[in-house]
Amino acid sequence: MSNKIGPRAVVLKDGSHGPAVRKLENELKERGLLKGPVDGHYDRRTTEAVKRFERHNDRKVDGKVGSWIYNKLQLADRFDGPKGNQGGGSVHGGNPGNGTRAPDNAGDTGKTGTFRTVTANIKSNPEMPQAQVLHDVRKAAAQGDLIGWQEISPPRYFDAIKSLGKEWDHYMPKDGNLRIPVPISWKKSEWDLQDAGFKRTHNGKAKVSPHRYITWAKLKNKETGEEVVRINTHLVSGAWTKSKLGRPTTPWRQEMWKKHMEQLDAMVERFEKKGLKVVVGGDFNRNHYKVLGNDVAYDNKLHIGTHGSSTLDYLMHTRDRELEHVRTKYERGLHSDHDAVVATYRLK
């Protein structure tokens, strides 16, 4: 029996309240669309968040949850799901499924697929000439089929990524008028986008740091049908640099770094609890350090430099018997002051 609802139904609107609204708000919050707390009341804030979701998806904008949003977010499972989630328990992250239990052998096609993911910081402080930006973007794209980018701040840097052509697709969300500087790209021939979102981990500080973000994309591998969540991020700099620990801004930097990592850790845990395979990458601005403790497997060695002699850029994955790390290499032929890290994985 399908959990989808008919085309004319209006499920939630201004004035609605209760567990169903809370679950909707959690979805909107995780995508960076809902401002303020999750409180279970469909008010002006919720209406505006729904409108943002509609605009992002090129839908008619009315601020109401009708059949399209209901089915797109797969809210059937969240509203009327299994007994373990009655009463509107908190639901975070992407779409975990449509609420119908699959057979035990679902997805067991016998196929095994390998993929390569890249983390690449394309230096923008100071900005590089566009020819160097294009060189680095194309060099990184030649290394893999799933890429997390950092420091993509000037509009022309985004243009360089878009210039990769029609074989690539991208998640380039906005936070208000700001284009978030940690986009994710993937080859269309290898991956289908299932869901995506972002989170602002903390606000910036004038002359110290911009706002900081985590982006994520849930993608289905076309060869195996397996889903992988690729998380990308870039943390505040200078929090742990020994030569700079005496600066007045160091306590703020360290506090924000820890706040960012707490939210990243919680996000990874939520996806894991949904049974999803997770690959995390980015510029963590902490040298030779297990940034997520022993909760993940680190795929590049902690003492091989990616920023001169410092190791600031990491790729790691959650421990899952169906996700195997094969090898890691470093692309050092970039104009950026960071090397790209390239990891190969096998989906079993």
Side-chain angles (χ1 to χ4, degrees):
M1 179 177 177
S2 173
N3 284 329
K4 291 189 175 182
I5 62 173
R8 295 194 178 120
V10 174
V11 182
L12 296 170
K13 60 182 179 179
D14 190 15
S16 300
H17 61 87
V21 176
R22 182 177 293 274
K23 293 170 188 179
L24 168 68
E25 289 177 316
N26 275 317
E27 287 297 310
L28 296 170
K29 186 84 171 177
E30 189 63 34
R31 287 164 172 77
L33 301 174
L34 179 69
K35 310 300 181 183
V38 172
D39 59 9
H41 292 276
Y42 201 121
D43 53 16
R44 180 182 57 80
R45 293 182 308 108
T46 315
T47 300
E48 291 304 312
V50 170
K51 287 180 177 180
R52 293 185 190 102
F53 183 80
E54 290 170 323
R55 291 189 191 99
H56 287 187
N57 288 277
D58 295 322
R59 305 293 298 184
K60 176 183 177 182
V61 177
D62 62 9
K64 299 176 183 178
V65 173
S67 61
W68 185 85
I69 294 178
Y70 183 93
N71 294 325
K72 174 70 174 176
L73 297 181
Q74 296 180 325
L75 293 172
D77 184 47
R78 293 169 172 78
F79 292 0
D80 308 306
K83 292 180 180 178
N85 197 34
Q86 285 183 344
S90 181
V91 177
H92 299 273
N95 302 328
N98 62 9
T100 301
R101 193 184 189 294
D104 291 337
N105 64 348
D108 185 11
T109 62
K111 293 181 179 179
T112 299
T114 59
F115 68 93
R116 288 180 297 164
T117 190
V118 183
T119 184
N121 181 312
I122 310 299
K123 181 180 70 174
S124 63
N125 185 21
E127 294 183 22
M128 299 190 296
Q130 190 67 358
Q132 293 183 359
V133 175
L134 287 165
H135 169 274
D136 284 6
V137 164
R138 292 167 183 169
K139 191 85 170 177
Q143 307 307 312
D145 49 78
L146 178 55
I147 306 174
W149 311 93
Q150 301 91 45
E151 272 195 61
I152 310 301
S153 183
R156 61 186 178 86
Y157 278 48
F158 286 96
D159 292 340
I161 294 174
K162 291 176 183 177
S163 76
L164 290 173
K166 293 182 179 180
E167 68 174 304
W168 288 87
D169 208 348
H170 316 281
Y171 178 56
M172 296 179 171
K174 283 186 174 181
D175 184 11
N177 293 322
L178 173 67
R179 183 75 74 180
I180 294 173
V182 282
I184 299 172
S185 300
W186 58 92
K187 280 188 176 178
K188 295 179 183 178
S189 60
E190 306 292 330
W191 302 97
D192 278 327
L193 180 65
Q194 305 297 298
D195 200 0
F198 71 88
K199 187 175 187 65
R200 185 197 295 186
T201 57
H202 63 85
N203 291 339
K205 188 178 182 70
K207 298 182 179 180
V208 178
S209 172
H211 300 331
R212 295 290 174 170
Y213 295 90
I214 303 167
T215 53
W216 58 268
K218 184 172 78 171
L219 298 141
K220 179 181 286 188
N221 183 267
K222 288 188 174 182
E223 181 183 355
T224 65
E226 296 289 337
E227 291 181 337
V228 174
V229 176
R230 178 63 163 90
I231 296 178
N232 183 38
T233 195
H234 186 187
L235 282 82
V236 63
S237 65
W240 311 104
T241 307
K242 290 182 179 179
S243 62
K244 300 178 180 179
L245 292 180
R247 294 183 301 182
T249 60
T250 295
W252 180 87
R253 292 173 190 264
Q254 292 184 348
E255 180 185 357
M256 294 302 104
W257 193 95
K258 292 175 182 177
K259 182 178 180 181
H260 190 130
M261 287 305 304
E262 287 172 0
Q263 294 172 79
L264 176 60
D265 191 29
M267 182 181 289
V268 172
E269 183 179 0
R270 286 197 296 270
F271 284 124
E272 272 195 291
K273 286 181 176 179
K274 293 175 181 179
L276 293 163
K277 306 165 186 64
V278 184
V279 175
V280 183
D283 178 354
F284 287 82
N285 273 313
R286 190 159 188 179
N287 189 25
H288 306 162
Y289 190 75
K290 288 187 175 182
V291 292
L292 283 174
N294 293 317
D295 295 336
V296 298
Y298 295 87
D299 299 322
N300 55 307
K301 294 182 179 179
L302 302 183
H303 293 275
I304 292 183
T306 62
H307 179 67
S309 61
S310 299
T311 307
L312 305 182
D313 309 88
Y314 300 93
L315 282 170
M316 61 203 84
H317 70 281
T318 52
R319 293 181 172 89
D320 187 302
R321 62 184 179 83
E322 295 182 348
L323 178 63
E324 177 188 7
H325 172 247
V326 178
R327 70 182 69 88
T328 295
K329 70 172 188 175
Y330 305 85
E331 177 50 62
R332 305 196 186 275
L334 304 182
H335 294 287
S336 176
D337 54 353
H338 288 253
D339 300 318
V341 183
V342 185
T344 302
Y345 300 92
R346 181 180 295 113
L347 292 166
K348 298 180 181 179

